[in-house]
């Protein structure tokens, strides 16, 4: 029996938990596999025991929604954001009910920039030829002020357009514009294009520098940092870099670390933020509408990658970050380590050929096999395409997070909430701990596990729809493609209202405890898809069925097809 003939079993499947069904598999059996029953846990099915010993419903408890998010009343959280997109140069982050300026401009030519004895002043509109860096006789270019500034001094820049390439090197400088947006903004327009940056912080001697309160645009990279540590980029608007990344951070010239705070990267090209072999923190920042170009198809919001020249991984921490309307992938982690907290990754758009549009993509480096790790907490991954979250030869923890409304890509492929998959070349397994989360409204498969390891605790997986070809629609699917079986341990969770199977497993090892697998077309289905590799199913204290629910859970073998593996980026 295959997917197309599944309907003949549906009535039987729905009542099987209560009364059995003549001619179907008996309770506790799968084709080629075994079932054992453990003693019932203290909590009811669909609940998990909390550290204080109380039982809590699966999903995200209302009190666990992070600041800037509100409970949705359905075991999840939703971000507080304006209903309409922000205008260019306007910023909104989780918790904001209206779009706003990135930073105020203040009064006077230099606004609220602090005045110190060593401050060098800049004003492109100064009419004289006798500049000396004072407020009365400011420099006309930013670069001249940087050249004259003492180490650590403020370079205060008045409103205006500055068509120049700015280089901070040889000493730390605090480059500080009046404001980054509106008619009074300070705008640096890069002149070189290509892989050169409009504003660049170079080498260890410039460590501790700050770039603040300016707008940056041009054909090339917006802001670049290499070989400098402790660099701070704050209240900047990087936009419309037509041929290159908005912000480029690399360790090509030595150890590099940067904090990007309260900023907006908008309509960059290729990458919004590109990080290679460096340490980066992004906080209270939006990266949106990164564009495809005729020569590069990326359009990715943020990429953290190992440096190909020295194999150094990147380390990225993203807090209260909004990734919205980028192309290809919202957040790409390649052979690096990432933490995503209290953030939103949504509405990622596809390649020009209609493929991809993934929310979060985490993979080992395909050349060096450098592993990748990620922690995703208190975040929302919503309305992306192809895959909400993808692990390829990677390790991750996802906690108190919503993966919602993942759509098939424009070619009609997938639409899966989460895929956990071994490296297709090396066979290196992925592993995922999925805890107190909600996977809702996926297509094809809610959570798919290929020759890897999954642990699910106190999580809801529901409402998975069929793929564009009308097949599949499983909540959790665990399948094996190698001699070592995939494993899944599911505890205190709810898997409900999925179009095909609640939990399906294909020559895999599954343990299901204290969980409710209810109101699916088939609650449990096991198939032997590898000769000599049976299923192992352990059942303890679960609930199955729909109108009539019972602790008697039947594993069917309805000839279902497993998910497909997916090529990495």
């Amino acid at each position: 029996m295959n997917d197309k003939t599944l309907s003949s079993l549906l009535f039987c499947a729905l009542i099987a938990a209560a009364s059995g069904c003549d001619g179907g598999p008996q309770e506790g059996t799968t084709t080629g596999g075994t079932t054992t029953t453990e003693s019932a846990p203290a909590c009811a099915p669909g609940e998990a025991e909390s550290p204080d010993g109380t039982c809590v419903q699966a999903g995200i408890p209302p009190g666990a929604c992070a600041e800037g998010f509100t409970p949705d009343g359905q075991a999840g959280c939703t971000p507080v954001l304006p209903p309409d997109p922000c205008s260019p140069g306007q910023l909104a982050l989780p918790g904001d009910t209206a779009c706003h300026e990135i930073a105020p401009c203040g009064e006077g030519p230099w606004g609220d920039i602090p005045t110190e004895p060593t401050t060098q002043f800049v004003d492109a509109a100064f009419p004289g030829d006798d500049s000396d860096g004072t407020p009365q006789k400011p420099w006309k270019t930013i670069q001249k002020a940087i050249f004259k500034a003492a180490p650590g001094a403020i370079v205060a820049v008045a409103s205006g357009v500055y068509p120049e390439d700015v280089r901070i090197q040889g000493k730390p400088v605090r480059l500080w514009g009046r404001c980054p947006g509106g008619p009074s903004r300070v705008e640096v327009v890069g002149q070189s294009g290509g892989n050169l940056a409009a504003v660049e912080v170079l080498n260890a001697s410039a460590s501790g520098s700050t770039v603040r309160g300016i707008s940056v645009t041009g054909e090339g990279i917006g802001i670049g940092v290499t070989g400098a540590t402790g660099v701070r980029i704050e209240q900047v608007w990087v936009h419309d870099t037509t041929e290159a990344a908005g912000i480029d951070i690399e360790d090509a010239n030595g150890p590099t670390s940067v904090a990007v705070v309260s900023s907006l990267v908008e309509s960059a090209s290729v990458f919004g933020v590109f990080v290679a072999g460096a340490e980066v923190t992004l906080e209270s920042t939006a990266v949106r509408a990164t564009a495809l170009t005729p020569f590069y198809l990326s359009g990715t919001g943020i990429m953290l990658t190992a440096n190909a020249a020295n194999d150094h991984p990147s380390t990225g921490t993203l807090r209260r970050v909004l990734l919205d309307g980028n192309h290809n992938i919202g957040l790409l982690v390649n052979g690096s380590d990432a933490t995503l907290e209290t953030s939103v990754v949504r509405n990622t758009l596809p390649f020009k050929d209609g493929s991809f549009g993934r929310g979060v993509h985490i993979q080992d480096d395909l050349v060096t096999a450098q592993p990748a790790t990620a922690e995703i907490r208190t975040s929302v991954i919503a309305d992306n395409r192809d895959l909400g979250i993808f692990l390829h030869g990677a390790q991750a923890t996802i906690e108190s997070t919503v993966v919602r409304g993942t759509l098939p890509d424009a070619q009609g492929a997938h639409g899966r909430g989460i895929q956990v998959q071994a490296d297709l070349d090396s066979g290196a397994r992925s592993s995922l701990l999925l805890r107190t989360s909600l996977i809702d409204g996926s297509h094809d498969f809610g959570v798919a596990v290929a020759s890897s390891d999954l642990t699910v605790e106190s999580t809801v997986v529901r409402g998975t729809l069929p793929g564009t070809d009308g097949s599949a629609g499983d909540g959790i699917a665990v399948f094996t493609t190698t001699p070592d079986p995939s494993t899944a341990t599911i505890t205190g969770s709810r898997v409900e209202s999925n179009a095909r199977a609640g939990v399906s497993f294909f020559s895999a090892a599954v343990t299901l405890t204290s969980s409710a697998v209810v109101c699916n077309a088939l609650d449990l289905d096991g198939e032997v898809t590898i000769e000599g590799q049976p299923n192992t199913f352990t059942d303890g204290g679960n609930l199955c069925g729909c109108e009539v629910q019972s602790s008697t859970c039947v594993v069917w073998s309805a000839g279902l097809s497993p998910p497909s593996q997916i090529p990495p980026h």
Side-chain angles (χ1 to χ4, degrees):
M1 184 176 299
N2 55 36
D3 296 355
K4 302 300 183 181
T5 60
L6 176 61
S7 58
S8 63
L9 284 177
L10 296 191
F11 176 77
C12 174
L14 290 174
I15 66 171
S19 60
C21 184
D22 292 341
Q26 299 300 305
E27 177 191 353
T29 67
T30 64
T31 303
T34 61
T35 297
T36 60
T37 301
E38 297 180 338
S39 59
C43 293
E47 296 181 342
E49 187 173 351
S50 65
D52 64 5
T54 61
C55 294
V56 295
Q57 290 288 333
I60 306 175
C65 292
E67 183 178 357
F69 296 76
T70 184
D72 64 7
Q74 298 180 328
C77 305
T78 188
V80 177
L81 285 166
D84 298 319
C86 293
S87 301
Q90 295 269 310
L91 180 62
L93 297 167
D96 292 333
T97 58
C99 300
H100 56 84
E101 296 290 345
I102 298 168
C105 291
E107 300 297 327
W110 292 279
D112 298 326
I113 302 173
T115 298
E116 299 175 351
T118 58
T119 298
Q120 296 288 317
F121 292 88
V122 183
D123 189 347
F126 176 60
D129 296 323
D130 55 348
S131 298
D132 60 10
T134 63
Q136 295 76 30
K137 298 179 180 181
W139 306 110
K140 295 182 180 181
T141 67
I142 297 170
Q143 193 63 57
K144 186 62 175 282
I146 290 173
F147 178 74
K148 294 291 186 178
I154 292 175
V155 172
V157 188
S159 303
V161 177
Y162 294 83
E164 54 179 304
D165 292 330
V166 175
R167 300 289 176 263
I168 301 174
Q169 56 185 350
K171 60 191 172 188
V173 167
R174 288 176 285 166
L175 173 58
W176 199 324
R178 179 182 176 186
C179 61
S184 297
R185 71 178 179 268
V186 175
E187 181 143 282
V188 178
V189 181
Q191 300 298 292
S192 297
N195 288 323
L196 297 177
V199 177
E200 190 156 21
V201 183
L202 291 166
N203 303 329
S205 57
S207 294
S209 293
T210 296
V211 178
R212 177 172 177 162
I214 64 173
S215 168
V216 182
T217 190
E219 292 183 355
I221 294 167
I223 300 176
V225 183
T226 181
T229 59
V231 175
R232 189 174 180 87
I233 299 170
E234 186 171 9
Q235 294 181 345
V236 302
W237 178 28
V238 182
H239 66 100
D240 298 287
T241 53
T242 57
E243 295 179 357
I247 297 177
D248 186 292
I249 302 167
E250 304 189 36
D251 72 341
N253 290 13
T256 303
S257 63
V258 179
V260 182
V261 181
S262 301
S263 295
L264 171 61
V265 181
E266 181 174 32
S267 300
S269 296
V270 189
F271 299 102
V273 178
F274 178 81
V275 184
E279 181 179 342
V280 66
T281 299
L282 285 92
E283 189 164 355
S284 300
T285 290
V287 180
R288 66 187 190 221
T290 308
L292 302 169
T293 70
F295 303 106
Y296 299 95
L297 293 179
S298 179
T300 291
I302 298 173
M303 181 173 183
L304 307 174
T305 186
N307 188 322
N310 56 28
D311 295 341
H312 289 171
S314 291
T315 301
T317 301
L318 286 65
R319 298 190 186 95
R320 200 169 175 245
V321 169
L322 173 63
L323 290 165
D324 191 6
N326 300 291
H327 286 79
N328 180 27
I329 296 171
L331 170 62
L332 172 56
V333 181
N334 179 71
S336 296
D337 305 315
T339 300
L340 183 71
E341 296 179 341
T342 321
S343 296
V344 177
V345 183
R346 69 180 187 183
N347 193 32
T348 310
L349 303 172
F351 270 147
K352 290 181 178 179
D353 67 359
S355 65
F356 279 74
R358 298 174 182 176
V360 179
H361 181 122
I362 306 157
Q363 66 180 28
D364 56 351
D365 189 279
L366 301 183
V367 176
T368 67
Q370 173 74 35
T373 65
E375 295 185 9
I376 302 173
R377 295 189 289 267
T378 56
S379 295
V380 171
I381 317 297
D383 302 322
N384 299 288
R385 294 160 177 79
D386 188 27
L387 300 169
I389 300 175
F390 181 46
L391 273 63
H392 179 272
Q395 321 301 312
T397 297
I398 300 173
E399 188 169 10
S400 299
T401 288
V402 175
V403 182
R404 178 184 284 130
T406 309
L407 300 168
D409 66 21
Q411 296 181 343
H414 310 132
R416 299 173 187 176
I418 299 175
Q419 176 116 350
V420 184
Q421 178 176 304
D423 183 299
L424 290 180
D425 292 325
S426 71
R429 294 169 76 91
S430 290
S431 67
L432 173 63
L433 171 59
L434 178 62
R435 176 188 290 142
T436 57
S437 294
L438 170 64
I439 316 301
D440 189 16
S442 307
H443 290 72
D444 201 24
F445 295 92
V447 181
V449 185
S451 296
S452 294
D453 304 299
L454 172 69
T455 300
V456 182
E457 299 175 357
S458 193
T459 288
V460 176
V461 182
R462 71 176 179 224
T464 309
L465 301 170
T468 54
D469 64 355
S471 67
D474 296 0
I476 299 175
V478 188
F479 66 108
T480 299
T481 60
T482 65
D484 296 322
S486 287
T487 70
T489 301
I490 305 166
T491 305
S493 297
R494 290 186 66 86
V495 185
E496 61 186 351
S497 303
N498 299 287
R500 194 176 74 165
V503 178
S504 59
F505 37 98
F506 305 83
S507 295
V510 174
T511 297
L512 184 70
T513 306
S514 189
S515 295
V517 185
V518 293
C519 293
N520 308 282
L522 289 174
D523 288 332
L524 302 174
D525 184 273
E527 309 292 340
V528 175
T529 52
I530 297 180
E531 185 176 354
Q533 178 62 68
N535 290 306
T536 301
F537 178 69
T538 302
D539 169 15
N542 301 300
L543 189 69
C544 295
C546 196
E547 286 84 1
V548 177
Q549 296 182 2
S550 170
S551 59
T552 302
C553 293
V554 175
V555 178
W556 294 92
S557 179
L560 305 187
S561 299
S564 60
Q565 297 187 90
I566 295 176
H569 185 257

